[in-house]
């Protein structure tokens, strides 16, 4: 085989790993019943793929091939271990039985394995503060640093939580199954939170060179659809609506060079109207149930932006009203910050600045770059140049996302240049 073909196959395997490895991992966890064994089998399967696919070509269903290869690699691993540990014999027998029983239906079960694993990680036996980080790490493949950023905590603290969660699943023998319909409601909040955080990381990556990670956004929407089919709860509808409405703006959120474009400056002709129609329909269904929760309210806010053709037509009073309701449901300082920005659009930058300063005075969001970016914009609009410059510099120093940092640096430079022009 030529080096060119070999390199092409290796690149395709790398792409499959990036897009599909966590699906393969979820299926292996179902089949093997062990996180660490599944992780080991996953990497062995991809190693085998690089060698065999270069010789035989990439199979029609690479995910199914990888699941099957990983399963048998794990069986081989357990067989080797039984030579030294007789207690593993029963597990080996069980895995061999699973391999045969699942040979024909493995293709159909792969699709919902990730949702199954999410419910496992969100089992009530696992501490609430561990459920979501564990799922984000093991099911969705986010790094510990990315998860820590989403929770505004340190990577070391987050790593400890994830280790404890895996140990709890193993020690308590928590099953890898989707719960019965009767048991779904008590698990729903954590599952919705997981899907929402996965989408957020895809919609606005917490770090790195890329503004977004479309693979994560698409996976979150797919899981949201599966959940709605499983349980058409109002909040499940609201979350799916929110994700579709946010995702509808993807093509307009950055320039061809990857530079960030704010909502007010986006070319709305690039917005995906099919996603908007579906999202608005879903949020209206959710509101009609009379059980309006946080995701439904956020979807309603997003729908207000999607219904108009320009930022000037935005009904900021209605958006502020939705934020008032959202803050009653969840008094998060980030929601309070977003409400302050909406109030500033309705009532002026000075009032918005007072609201943001009140949050920071309480010691909340002091390390959150968007709080300082909002202050910088308010100061700029108020003509308070020195304070605007300081706030921009503070926001830049706290930003881990490359595109956001470039955007803030550009705004700061424009601000400085404007000041120089005024002084001439």
């Amino acid at each position: 085989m030529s080096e060119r073909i070999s390199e092409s196959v290796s690149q395709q395997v790398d792409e499959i790993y990036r897009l599909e490895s966590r699906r393969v991992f979820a299926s292996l966890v179902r089949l093997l019943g062990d996180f660490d064994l599944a992780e080991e089998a996953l990497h062995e399967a991809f190693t085998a793929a690089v060698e065999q696919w270069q010789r035989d070509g990439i199979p029609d269903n690479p995910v199914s091939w990888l699941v099957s290869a990983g399963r048998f690699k794990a069986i081989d691993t357990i067989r080797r271990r039984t030579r030294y540990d007789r207690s593993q014999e029963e597990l080996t027998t069980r895995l061999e039985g699973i391999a045969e029983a699942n040979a024909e239906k493995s293709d159909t079960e792969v699709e919902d394995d990730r949702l199954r694993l999410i419910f496992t990680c969100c089992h009530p036996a696992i501490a609430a503060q561990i459920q979501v980080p564990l799922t984000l790490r093991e099911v969705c493949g986010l790094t510990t640093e990315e998860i820590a950023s989403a929770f505004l905590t340190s990577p070391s603290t987050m790593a400890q939580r994830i280790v404890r969660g895996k140990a709890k699943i193993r020690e308590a023998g928590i099953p890898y199954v989707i719960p019965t319909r009767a048991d779904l409601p008590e698990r729903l909040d954590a599952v919705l939170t997981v899907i929402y955080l996965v989408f957020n990381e895809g919609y606005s990556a917490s770090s790195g060179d890329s503004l977004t990670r479309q693979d994560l956004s698409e996976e979150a929407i797919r899981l949201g659809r599966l959940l709605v089919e499983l349980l058409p709860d109002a909040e499940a509808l609201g979350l799916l609506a929110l994700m579709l409405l946010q995702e509808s703006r993807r093509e307009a959120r950055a320039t061809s060079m990857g530079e960030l474009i704010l909502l007010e400056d986006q070319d709305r002709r690039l917005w995906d109207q099919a996603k908007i129609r579906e999202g608005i329909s879903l949020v209206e269904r959710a509101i009609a149930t009379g059980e309006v929760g946080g995701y439904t309210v956020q979807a309603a806010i997003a729908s207000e932006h999607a219904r108009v053709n320009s930022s000037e037509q935005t009904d900021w009073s209605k958006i502020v009203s939705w934020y008032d309701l959202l803050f009653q449901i969840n008094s998060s300082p980030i929601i309070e910050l977003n409400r302050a920005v909406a109030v500033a659009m309705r009532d002026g930058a000075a009032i918005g600045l007072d609201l943001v300063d009140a949050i920071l005075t309480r010691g909340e969001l002091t390390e959150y770059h968007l709080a300082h970016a909002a202050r910088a914009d308010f100061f700029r609009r108020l003509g308070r140049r020195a304070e605007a410059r300081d706030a921009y510099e503070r926001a830049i120093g706290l930003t881990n996302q490359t595109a956001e940092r470039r955007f803030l640096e550009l705004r700061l430079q424009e601000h400085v240049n404007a000041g120089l022009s005024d002084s001439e």
Side-chain angles (χ1 to χ4, degrees), residues 124-420:
I126 300 173
Q129 71 270 27
I130 294 178
Q131 293 176 356
V132 174
L134 175 66
T135 312
L136 292 174
R137 178 68 192 96
E138 299 302 329
V139 180
C140 306
L142 271 66
T143 66
T144 303
E145 289 74 18
E146 289 169 340
I147 301 167
S149 174
F151 282 84
L152 305 181
T153 191
S154 69
S156 60
T157 298
M158 193 56 64
Q160 292 172 2
R161 292 180 187 176
I162 292 168
V163 169
R164 288 199 300 271
K166 291 169 65 176
K168 183 64 177 181
I169 290 176
R170 181 174 58 253
E171 293 164 4
I174 294 173
Y176 296 86
V177 296
I178 293 176
T180 65
R181 184 168 294 275
D183 294 331
L184 276 172
E186 69 173 340
R187 311 268 283 278
L188 184 61
D189 285 348
V191 171
L192 289 173
T193 300
V194 165
I195 295 174
Y196 178 63
L197 289 175
V198 172
F199 178 81
N200 266 357
E201 185 62 31
Y203 182 73
S204 182
S206 60
S207 61
D209 294 335
S210 177
L211 176 65
T212 65
R213 291 181 57 182
Q214 189 170 359
D215 57 323
L216 290 179
S217 297
E218 290 177 348
E219 177 62 19
I221 290 173
R222 190 189 71 81
L223 291 170
R225 292 190 189 281
L226 282 174
L227 191 59
V228 166
E229 292 176 10
L230 188 68
L231 184 70
D233 176 89
E235 275 293 77
L237 292 168
L239 176 57
L240 180 55
L242 173 62
M243 294 190 295
L244 288 167
L245 289 167
Q246 299 283 58
E247 186 68 5
S248 72
R249 302 200 292 263
R250 174 177 292 278
E251 295 302 318
R253 293 184 61 231
T255 67
S256 58
M257 301 297 293
E259 302 298 333
L260 177 65
I261 303 175
L262 293 183
L263 176 63
E264 61 195 65
D265 299 321
Q266 290 175 12
D267 183 351
R268 300 191 178 208
R269 293 171 298 181
L270 297 177
W271 289 5
D272 188 325
Q273 294 303 314
K275 285 187 174 68
I276 289 174
R277 287 191 295 271
E278 184 181 2
I280 290 176
S281 175
L282 285 166
V283 75
E284 289 175 348
R285 280 177 58 193
I287 292 172
T289 66
E291 300 176 0
V292 177
Y295 296 116
T296 299
V297 173
Q298 291 180 73
I301 293 170
S303 74
E304 291 299 326
H305 293 294
R307 293 174 192 272
V308 296
N309 295 321
S310 68
S311 60
E312 291 77 18
Q313 297 173 336
T314 305
D315 189 338
W316 288 106
S317 292
K318 187 175 289 186
I319 289 177
V320 171
S321 296
W322 280 118
Y323 270 120
D324 290 340
L325 177 57
L326 183 60
F327 192 70
Q328 292 176 28
I329 296 170
N330 179 8
S331 54
S332 157
I334 292 180
I335 291 174
E336 191 176 356
L337 172 64
N338 291 336
R339 180 186 177 278
V341 172
V343 169
M345 297 300 294
R346 184 189 67 180
D347 300 334
I351 294 177
L353 179 62
D354 288 342
L355 293 173
V356 174
D357 282 347
I359 299 171
L360 295 173
T361 299
R362 296 198 306 265
E364 297 176 308
L365 302 186
T366 55
E367 302 299 309
Y368 187 51
H369 68 286
L370 293 182
H372 298 282
R375 291 183 83 244
D377 187 59
F378 295 153
F379 283 132
R380 179 187 62 80
R381 288 159 59 183
L382 292 168
R384 295 164 61 173
R385 295 193 177 280
E387 291 160 301
R389 183 186 65 248
D390 291 344
Y392 274 126
E393 290 175 348
R394 176 68 170 150
I396 291 167
L398 293 170
T399 303
N400 295 319
Q401 215 288 324
T402 304
E404 286 186 337
R405 185 185 300 109
R406 286 200 304 264
F407 173 82
L408 290 171
E409 289 171 343
L410 180 60
R411 277 295 173 96
L412 174 59
Q413 189 59 50
E414 290 173 347
H415 178 71
V416 170
N417 291 342
L420 292 173

